Amino acid sequence: MEQISQNASNLTHLDSQGQAQMVDVSHKASTVRQAVAAASVRMLSETFATIQAGNAPKGDVLGTASLAGIMAAKQTANLIPLCHPLPLHKVEVQIEPDSQLPGYQITAMVKTKAETGVEMEALTAVSVAALTLYDMAKALEKSISIESIRLVSKSGGKSGDYHQSE
């Protein structure tokens, strides 16, 4: 038990007994914070061509996936147990074709002015956009692969800025 107490003091989401807790951010100043996350969705060339041509059986694959990502960012605190509900000021989801995969590169940018960051909201947005893309295209191909969900950058807050190394 002493081991948990020593480690717990270094982990903000654990109390002194090692139990999960929501971090108290009430003492922090509201500052502008932004995060960008990305994901890749790989598929067969035939599937990619069908989506690009707008001929998928379920309709607008990319528009639906983009909207799902935006909606997901707004629901992050309901999905991730210790996330704070935040007032999101901007959520942007971009889905770009990548013929080299073949497939799509998904990027989400989330911005707020709050006491804590929006990394989880950006990561949730790209994850759900990728899952929705899969759902919209699974009638064409079951082997679509969601890959490399990652934080690309974040700015604001006590820990400072972060940019993914290439």
Side-chain angles (χ1 to χ4, degrees), residues 27-85:
H27 64 283
K28 292 177 152 188
S30 285
T31 59
V32 175
R33 295 154 188 268
Q34 181 173 308
V36 176
S40 302
V41 181
R42 183 182 307 270
M43 60 195 63
L44 297 172
S45 297
E46 297 80 12
T47 305
F48 179 68
T50 301
I51 294 169
Q52 282 297 99
N55 294 330
K58 287 190 174 183
D60 183 5
V61 173
L62 304 181
T64 304
S66 179
L67 185 56
I70 292 167
M71 293 172 66
K74 297 180 344 180
Q75 294 298 316
T76 301
N78 293 325
L79 299 169
I80 310 293
L82 301 178
C83 281
H84 294 84

Side-chain angles (χ1 to χ4, degrees), residues 96-153:
E96 299 294 331
D98 183 344
S99 58
Q100 297 302 309
L101 275 175
Y104 294 90
Q105 301 292 342
I106 303 173
T107 306
M109 185 281 298
V110 180
K111 188 174 186 179
T112 191
K113 183 174 183 186
E115 298 82 9
T116 191
V118 286
E119 297 92 347
M120 294 309 300
E121 287 73 8
L123 288 161
T124 299
V126 297
S127 298
V128 171
L131 288 167
T132 301
L133 197 157
Y134 181 95
D135 181 54
M136 294 291 290
K138 69 185 178 193
L140 299 169
E141 176 188 349
K142 302 284 191 263
S143 63
I144 294 170
S145 174
I146 297 169
E147 303 173 357
S148 192
I149 297 170
R150 63 209 176 274
L151 181 68
V152 174
S153 65

